[in-house]
């Protein structure tokens, strides 16, 4: 009897130990899986999630929608992909931080509008590692955009063609969503609920930018006109943009004026100097009137197809005359001639897709974007053009836009390191530039006027290209198509490649000096 009890107790102990070991294994596996899957560096995002999404959803817009909703759901449960310990990563090797509009950003990488058209997932996108997230574009009234299908893939070229046509739920809908986001932030951080808590956050009481709600990052909100607003009625067009600004400016760090979508008939005609100046003056005035301690900055997004000297000079003149703070160089292109090299063999299906109407985006746009950034930087650094009599130049702030380091830092920053790789990467020296965005030593051009900020978008797919864009005169390199094909780890990968390029050049320089 005693032996039976001892044997039974032993079996019971072994069973309990097995159950404990099994339970611990399950827990550890779950914890490891969580840490792996929610890390942007995990290869599963690029090599499994993206191909699976493409295969399950042949229509590119459907895949985009599912991806957006998935990120939204994962973020709501706290199991979204994120860049783990970005500050710790940034402390290793080259410092990618950069000053833009008086804010010290964690890095010079951003995401372009179109990824989050309705401002549904700005926080989930910020968690992926960019320092700038652009949402929109928002139109005054809801509009469906162009008929479907309207987004097409060229997988062999990692390119897209879209003709969305600025589909939007309207500025009021986006403002409501962004307002709720601010109030939730206030509540979760102990600032209370309701309008008073919202005002506290928007006026800097939480110690974070009022748009992004994250230290070292900014939220850009893109605005546009409705398709049914007649282009020749400039007052109506201006009212469209101003209305969007009045609704959305409180929740934005940067307002982006879209006059370059190729899928809204007549929109690009607004890039001529007179209509553009009138629109931008209205936007700048409305932005400065926002009920907030600090007004959002204003940028204009221009087309890569307006590349004649007189067109670029006209846009630059409108920028100076209106008083906007900067320009986003690049959008999708309508052009197809010599876009893809003739030696590239496209499948019959892809050749057919290449003929679809809409804006093309992808790696093939990079050289055009790089060239345009250099041209805009040179012209903007020349300062305000001579204005007609009776036209006064808007008063500029004398504060630096993209300023330097204090000079007391012992660690190399991107301002110092990128200059060291400039000659190797581009073979050129920017006009008076010393670092990111070609920013001058004192943040001002030689003539004493404030330097306008440039963001660049179009064809940027890796860290080396991002560095080339920055050294050409941009302050931020934005990505869109690269993120669609590369998955949620794209920003982390690009930043890693930037550090490697900078460190590689630094090592080469040291070897040469010995």
């Amino acid at each position: 009897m005693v032996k039976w009890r001892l044997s039974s107790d032993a079996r019971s102990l072994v069973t309990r130990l097995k159950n404990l070991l099994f339970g611990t294994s399950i827990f550890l596996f779950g914890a490891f899986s969580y840490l792996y899957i929610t890390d942007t560096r995990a290869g599963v995002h690029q090599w499994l999630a993206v191909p699976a999404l493409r295969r399950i959803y042949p229509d590119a817009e459907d895949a985009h929608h599912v991806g957006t909703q998935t990120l939204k759901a994962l973020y709501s449960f706290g199991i979204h992909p994120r860049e783990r310990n970005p500050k710790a990563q940034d402390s290793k090797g080259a410092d990618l931080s950069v000053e833009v509009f008086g804010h010290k950003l964690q890095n010079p990488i951003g995401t372009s509008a179109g990824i989050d058209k309705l401002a549904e997932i700005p926080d989930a996108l910020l968690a992926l590692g960019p320092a700038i997230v652009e949402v929109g574009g928002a139109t005054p009234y809801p509009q469906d955009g162009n008929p479907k299908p309207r987004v097409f893939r060229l997988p062999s070229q990692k390119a897209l063609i879209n003709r969305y046509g600025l589909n939007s739920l309207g500025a009021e809908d986006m403002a409501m969503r962004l307002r709720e986001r601010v109030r939730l932030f206030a509540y979760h951080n102990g600032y209370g609920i309701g309008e008073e808590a919202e005002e506290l956050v928007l006026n800097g009481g939480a110690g974070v930018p009022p748009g992004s709600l994250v230290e070292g990052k900014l939220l850009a909100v893109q605005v546009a006109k409705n398709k049914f607003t007649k282009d020749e009625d400039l007052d109506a067009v201006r009212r469209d943009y101003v209305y969007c600004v009045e609704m959305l400016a409180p929740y934005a760090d940067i307002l982006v004026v879209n006059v370059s979508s190729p899928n809204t008939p007549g929109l690009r005609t607004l890039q001529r100097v007179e209509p553009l100046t009138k629109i931008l003056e209205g936007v700048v005035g409305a932005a400065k009137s926002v009920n907030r301690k600090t007004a959002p900055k204003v940028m204009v997004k221009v087309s890569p197809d307006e590349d004649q000297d007189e067109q670029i000079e006209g846009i630059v003149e409108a920028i100076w005359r209106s008083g906007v703070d900067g320009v986003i160089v690049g959008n999708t292109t309508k052009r197809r001639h010599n876009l893809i090299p003739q030696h590239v063999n496209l499948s019959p299906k892809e050749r057919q897709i290449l003929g679809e109407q809409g804006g093309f985006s992808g790696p093939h746009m990079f050289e055009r974007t790089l060239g345009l950034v250099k041209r805009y930087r040179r012209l903007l650094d020349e300062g305000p053009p001579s204005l007609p009599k009776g036209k006064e130049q808007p008063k500029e702030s004398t504060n630096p836009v993209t300023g330097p380091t204090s000079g007391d830092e012992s660690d190399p920053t991107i301002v110092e390191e990128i200059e060291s790789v400039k000659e190797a990467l581009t073979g050129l020296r920017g006009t008076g530039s010393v670092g990111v965005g070609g920013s001058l030593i004192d943040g001002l051009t030689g003539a004493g006027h404030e330097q306008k900020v440039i963001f660049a978008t179009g064809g940027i797919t890796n860290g080396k290209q991002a560095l080339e864009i920055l050294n050409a005169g941009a302050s931020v390199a934005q990505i869109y198509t690269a993120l669609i094909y590369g998955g949620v780890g794209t920003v982390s990968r690009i930043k890693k490649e930037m550090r490697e390029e900078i460190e590689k050049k630094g090592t080469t320089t040291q070897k040469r000096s010995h």
Side-chain angles (χ1 to χ4, degrees):
M1 188 72 174
V2 174
K3 288 182 178 180
W4 179 82
R5 284 182 178 175
L6 289 173
S7 177
S8 176
D9 289 344
R11 283 197 301 270
S12 178
L13 178 62
V14 170
T15 301
R16 286 198 296 269
L17 288 172
K18 285 182 177 179
N19 289 340
L20 178 63
L21 182 61
F22 180 73
T24 303
S25 299
I26 292 293
F27 173 79
L28 291 174
F29 177 77
F32 174 79
S33 298
Y34 166 79
L35 291 172
Y36 176 76
I37 292 174
T38 58
D39 194 321
T40 55
R41 294 169 295 178
V44 66
H45 299 303
Q46 181 176 3
W47 306 115
L48 179 61
V50 172
L53 203 58
R54 252 194 345 249
R55 184 170 291 275
I56 296 170
Y57 298 95
D59 182 86
E61 183 174 358
D62 289 343
H64 191 156
H65 177 72
V66 170
T68 298
Q69 295 307 309
T70 300
L71 270 180
K72 184 178 180 181
L74 291 174
Y75 188 85
S76 68
F77 289 109
I79 54 175
H80 57 288
R82 70 204 71 181
E83 193 172 62
R84 297 198 179 279
N85 299 320
K87 291 184 179 179
Q89 290 181 36
D90 288 345
S91 66
K92 299 175 182 178
D95 176 13
L96 299 184
S97 63
V98 42
E99 278 199 32
V100 176
F101 297 133
H103 295 270
K104 185 178 181 180
L105 302 187
Q106 294 178 13
N107 61 78
I109 304 300
T111 60
S112 295
I115 293 174
D116 186 13
K117 282 181 167 290
L118 307 178
E120 295 180 284
I121 54 169
D123 295 306
L125 290 176
L126 286 165
L128 302 181
I132 301 276
V133 165
E134 183 184 354
V135 299
T139 54
Y141 297 101
Q143 62 182 28
D144 294 330
N146 293 320
K148 298 180 181 181
R150 53 192 180 185
V151 187
F152 309 91
R153 302 186 189 105
L154 289 162
S156 71
Q157 305 303 303
K158 294 188 177 180
L160 293 172
I161 292 173
N162 90 79
R163 52 170 180 262
Y164 275 114
L166 287 171
N167 51 309
S168 169
L169 294 179
E172 187 175 350
D173 177 85
M174 184 177 287
M176 179 180 64
R177 190 173 290 112
L178 293 175
R179 182 186 306 116
E180 180 65 20
R181 172 176 172 263
V182 171
R183 293 189 177 189
L184 280 173
F185 173 87
Y187 174 74
H188 289 311
N189 286 274
Y191 298 113
I193 58 175
E195 189 174 342
E196 289 186 3
E198 176 190 338
E199 289 180 1
L200 182 144
V201 173
L202 294 180
N203 286 310
V208 293
S212 70
L213 306 178
V214 180
E215 184 184 358
K217 300 192 176 187
L218 299 175
L219 179 70
V221 178
Q222 186 187 112
V223 298
K225 79 174 190 69
N226 277 117
K227 187 176 181 178
F228 54 75
T229 303
K230 295 181 179 179
D231 303 307
E232 58 270 20
D233 187 349
L234 273 182
D235 289 331
V237 171
R238 175 170 163 152
R239 283 195 298 271
D240 270 15
Y241 285 100
V242 168
Y243 175 79
C244 289
V245 170
E246 290 172 346
M247 295 298 297
L248 295 165
Y251 312 105
D253 300 311
I254 302 168
L255 290 164
V256 179
V257 181
N258 184 355
V259 289
S260 58
S261 169
N263 303 309
T264 301
L267 186 64
R268 289 187 170 183
T269 62
L270 299 176
Q271 292 176 103
R272 294 195 298 266
V273 60
E274 292 302 333
L276 184 57
T277 301
K278 185 170 184 177
I279 292 166
L280 295 179
E281 285 175 342
V283 169
V284 169
K288 288 180 178 178
S289 300
V290 65
N291 186 23
R292 208 175 74 185
K293 281 186 178 179
T294 57
K297 299 297 182 179
V298 178
M299 303 186 78
V300 58
K301 187 166 189 173
V302 298
S303 163
D305 295 341
E306 268 58 48
D307 57 0
Q308 298 300 308
D309 288 342
E310 60 271 19
Q311 292 172 318
I312 295 177
E313 289 166 4
I315 291 170
V316 167
E317 180 180 340
I319 289 170
W320 282 110
R321 283 170 58 176
S322 63
V324 299
D325 303 288
V327 57
I328 297 182
V329 175
N331 203 326
T332 57
T333 180
K334 281 182 165 183
R335 296 177 184 174
R336 299 292 187 270
H337 181 64
N338 289 334
L339 190 60
I340 295 178
Q342 293 183 352
H343 68 269
V344 174
N345 292 321
L346 297 177
S347 68
K349 182 180 179 182
E350 287 190 325
R351 288 218 170 270
Q352 180 184 354
I353 289 173
L354 189 61
E356 291 282 355
Q357 288 188 336
F360 178 98
S361 62
H364 309 79
M365 294 293 295
F366 175 73
E367 291 299 331
R368 186 183 300 183
T369 302
L370 182 64
L372 284 172
V373 167
K374 291 176 181 177
R375 292 169 70 186
Y376 272 97
R377 181 77 280 157
R378 178 178 58 80
L379 287 173
L380 286 169
D381 284 351
E382 289 176 0
S386 301
L387 300 179
K389 288 184 180 180
K391 277 283 184 182
E392 293 185 2
Q393 174 64 26
K395 195 172 182 180
E396 299 281 358
S397 165
T398 56
N399 295 326
V401 176
T402 53
T405 55
S406 65
D408 297 325
E409 296 84 346
S410 58
D411 295 328
T413 65
I414 192 169
V415 176
E416 298 164 333
E417 290 282 6
I418 288 184
E419 179 66 15
S420 72
V421 299
K422 181 181 290 186
E423 291 182 355
L425 295 177
T426 65
L428 294 169
R429 300 191 69 85
T431 306
S433 63
V434 296
V436 171
S439 47
L440 303 186
I441 292 177
D442 59 356
L444 303 174
T445 61
H449 49 72
E450 183 181 19
Q451 189 184 50
K452 300 295 184 181
V453 173
I454 295 177
F455 290 1
T457 181
I460 301 164
T461 59
N462 58 53
K464 182 176 179 179
Q465 290 177 333
L467 287 173
E468 288 188 67
I469 286 290
L470 296 172
N471 286 314
S475 296
V476 172
Q478 292 182 287
I479 60 171
Y480 173 73
T481 308
L483 186 62
I484 300 297
Y485 279 96
V488 296
T490 304
V491 175
S492 297
R493 173 182 58 79
I494 288 176
K495 292 194 293 184
K496 179 174 178 287
E497 291 170 350
M498 290 175 70
R499 292 190 187 94
E500 290 172 350
E501 285 289 333
I502 293 170
E503 290 166 2
K504 183 168 62 177
K505 177 58 182 175
T507 302
T508 303
T509 303
Q510 287 179 1
K511 286 181 178 179
R512 287 176 180 172
S513 64
H514 284 304

